[in-house]
């Protein structure tokens, strides 16, 4: 084993700011007293109910407090849940250097140019043969198969032991692109892995994840039988899928129109770097559609998850300024639904069918999508090859992490050596032994709303949900603080709470009297504006819930009579 033997007194701490108990915003930290290294910096895309939110990122408070120790950011691959938060991270802390695989490095450079941050950080490409030293840590890499080229796992040799993270992977024996480096993973296991962090996203699925190459036949069959326009939506980051679709377009002589900014970026970078091979003549612009027959056109667009502002959603609703549905169009969803997006996807499918389109989604019959993550047999095989002394499942919701932990126990890792952690939980590696620390790191969510890069707290999102679900009640309370009296019945204004019919008006009027009596009672003694507001919230919340079983947001406004001069 190549781990350094000159032990220092500082244990190595390992924890996540994102990626545990969720599928997204992967951000993992490895640090000792002198060096802090970040592995991945991803976003989480908001589900329904995250009103007005574009991205969810980790709370970077810990990194800001320890910014002098930050030496580097390492990226495993180029998906948004691993690189999407880099612009926001750079606005919070200084990152001296980003190490990334070739395609991920290109995607990051493009992202930083869009955010006008391209000069703020050095980006260095690595490959499977790279060896990088950062502080007291040494990094090496092994290739894995995933749904985007240039995906890697990372081995971190520290003075206290070896930590290995698989990154996102599946064990695809017939991949689109290079093979997974099973021999290197085995060699790392032979030398000794103290702590393994491994992808848990498909831990609840038995068997093996289908090969990406298995999707090619299904896509080819659709091209073969479709005689009208084809509109295909998939993840813009799934470069392997985009390459397969492009190959079918060339085979069946269909020109390609790419719609959606992220899709256009993915095609440009992938073609520039040779991951998608197609001449310029294969692509057309929207104003050239009229020059070709419907059977000669394939439109590739964003929106496979029903995102309201994505191209396919706007096409389905008839609001896209370039593309309108023609009856007989075939729409292909070459993706699976991310948890939380099912309702949005169904709405888009229904809207498309109302316009006269044929809609084909992924199923056991169509096989239009293969996950990029490992199922149970692959997880078992990875654990067998790596043979870690300690194990920490990562990248998954809590039930996925627990299932993955159980798999590790079943193949022989002691239960006490398996750590099911949440964001902010800290493990300590010291002299090749891993223990759970008593300390925790702040790891809240920060919600990015439009261009507000400072983010919003969880409390703001809860308030938005309350307003959306139960509405708002404003209570205007007029008092005279000199005489300690309520000057009049409070005024109650409601928005989105109750319909103003005879019954609700009577309820509101009664609540005014109850509120006045409650405030008059506390004003018999010395009180404060804060206490008056708290009483107003308590009295009105209790009263309205009793009569409506709803919890509107209560906003008390106190108007104090000023002394006349």
């Amino acid at each position: 084993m190549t781990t350094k033997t000159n032990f220092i007194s500082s244990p190595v701490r390992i924890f996540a700011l994102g990626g545990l108990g969720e599928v997204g915003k992967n951000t993992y930290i490895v640090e000792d007293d002198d060096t802090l290294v970040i592995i991945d910096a991803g976003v989480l895309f908001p589900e329904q109910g995250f009103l007005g939110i574009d991205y969810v990122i980790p709370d970077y408070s810990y990194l800001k407090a320890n910014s002098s120790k930050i030496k580097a950011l390492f990226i495993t691959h180029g998906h948004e849940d691993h690189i999407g938060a880099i612009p926001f991270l750079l606005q919070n802390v200084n990152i001296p250097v980003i190490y990334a695989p070739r395609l991920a490095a290109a995607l990051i450079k493009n992202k930083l140019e869009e955010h006008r941050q391209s000069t703020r950080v050095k980006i260095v490409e690595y490959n499977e043969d790279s060896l990088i030293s950062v502080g007291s840590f040494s990094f090496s890499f092994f290739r894995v198969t995933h749904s985007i080229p240039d995906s890697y796992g990372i081995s971190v040799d520290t003075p206290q032991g070896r930590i290995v993270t698989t990154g996102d992977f599946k064990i695809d024996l017939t991949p689109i692109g290079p093979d997974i480096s099973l021999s290197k993973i085995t060699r790392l296991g032979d030398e000794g892995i103290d702590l393994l962090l491994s992808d848990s996203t498909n831990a609840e699925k038995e068997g093996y994840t289908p090969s990406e190459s298995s999707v090619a036949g299904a896509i080819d069959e659709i091209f073969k039988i479709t005689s009208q326009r084809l509109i295909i939506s998939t993840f813009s980051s799934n470069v392997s899928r985009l390459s397969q679709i492009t190959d079918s377009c060339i085979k069946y002589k269909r020109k390609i129109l790419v719609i959606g900014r992220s899709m256009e970026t993915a095609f440009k970078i992938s073609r520039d770097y040779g991951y998608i091979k197609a001449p310029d003549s294969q692509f057309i612009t929207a104003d050239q559609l009229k020059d070709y027959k419907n059977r000669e056109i394939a439109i590739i667009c964003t929106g496979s998850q029903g995102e309201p502002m994505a191209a396919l959603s706007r096409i389905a609703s008839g609001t896209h300024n370039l593309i309108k549905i023609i009856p007989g169009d075939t729409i292909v969803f070459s993706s699976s639904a991310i948890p939380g997006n099912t309702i949005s996807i169904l709405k888009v499918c229904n809207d498309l069918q109302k316009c006269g389109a044929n809609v084909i989604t992924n199923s056991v019959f169509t096989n239009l999508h293969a996950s990029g993550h490992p199922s149970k047999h692959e997880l078992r095989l990875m654990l067998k090859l790596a043979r870690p002394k300690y194990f920490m499942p990562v990248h998954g919701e809590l039930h996925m992490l627990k299932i993955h932990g159980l798999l590790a126990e079943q193949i022989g890792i002691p239960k006490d050596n398996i750590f099911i952690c949440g964001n902010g939980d800290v493990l300590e590696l010291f002299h090749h032994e891993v223990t759970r620390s008593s300390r925790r790191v702040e790891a809240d969510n920060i919600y990015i709303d439009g261009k507000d890069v400072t983010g919003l707290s969880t409390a703001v999102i809860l308030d938005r949900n309350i307003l959306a679900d139960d509405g708002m009640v404003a209570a205007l309370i007029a008092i005279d603080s000199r005489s300690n009296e309520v000057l009049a019945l409070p005024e109650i204004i409601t928005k989105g709470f109750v319909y103003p019919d005879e019954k609700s008006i009577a309820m509101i009027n009664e609540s005014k009297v109850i509120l006045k009596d409650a405030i008059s009672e506390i004003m018999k003694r010395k009180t404060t504006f804060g206490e008056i507001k708290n009483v107003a919230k308590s009295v009105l919340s209790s009263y309205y819930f009793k009569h409506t079983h709803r919890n509107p947001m209560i906003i008390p406004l106190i108007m104090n009579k000023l002394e006349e001069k």
Side-chain angles (χ1 to χ4, degrees), residues 6-47:
N6 57 324
F7 290 118
I8 57 176
S9 59
S10 167
V12 173
R13 293 173 289 274
I14 306 100
F15 58 91
L17 295 178
L20 301 183
E22 60 196 357
V23 179
K25 69 181 176 73
N26 294 279
T27 309
Y28 305 98
I29 309 299
V30 179
E31 67 163 357
D32 60 18
D33 286 350
D34 301 311
T35 301
L36 187 154
V37 171
I38 308 164
I39 298 177
D40 288 330
V43 296
L44 176 69
F45 290 104
E47 301 174 4

Side-chain angles (χ1 to χ4, degrees), residues 100-125:
R102 185 168 180 256
L103 179 56
L107 293 169
I108 293 167
K109 289 174 185 175
N110 181 79
K111 184 179 295 294
L112 295 182
E113 287 172 1
E114 289 182 351
H115 285 79
R116 299 181 181 178
Q117 295 177 318
S118 56
T119 60
R120 293 190 60 176
V121 64
K122 179 181 179 182
I123 300 175
V124 176
E125 294 180 17

Side-chain angles (χ1 to χ4, degrees), residues 24 63 133 144 146 174 194 250 256 273 375 414 445 476 517 522 544:
L63 297 181
S133 293
V144 296
H146 189 43
T174 55
D194 293 300
I250 294 172
I256 300 171
Y273 282 76
S375 298
N445 288 337
L476 281 63
D517 291 345
I522 66 168
Y544 291 142

Side-chain angles (χ1 to χ4, degrees), residues 63-118:
L63 297 181
K64 286 190 282 187
N66 293 272
S67 58
S68 62
K69 289 174 32 177
I70 298 175
K71 298 297 190 290
L73 166 64
F74 283 83
I75 298 299
T76 58
H77 65 282
H79 278 159
E80 285 294 295
D81 59 335
H82 294 259
I83 68 170
I86 291 176
F88 306 111
L89 177 62
L90 291 177
Q91 291 175 10
N92 281 273
V93 295
N94 176 55
I95 304 294
V97 58
I98 298 175
Y99 294 100
R102 185 168 180 256
L103 179 56
L107 293 169
I108 293 167
K109 289 174 185 175
N110 181 79
K111 184 179 295 294
L112 295 182
E113 287 172 1
E114 289 182 351
H115 285 79
R116 299 181 181 178
Q117 295 177 318
S118 56

Side-chain angles (χ1 to χ4, degrees), residues 484-486 515-525:
N484 272 11
E485 62 178 333
V486 182
L515 178 58
K516 182 183 179 184
D517 291 345
I519 295 174
S520 296
E521 184 64 29
I522 66 168
M523 291 190 72
K524 290 178 180 178
R525 54 178 173 80

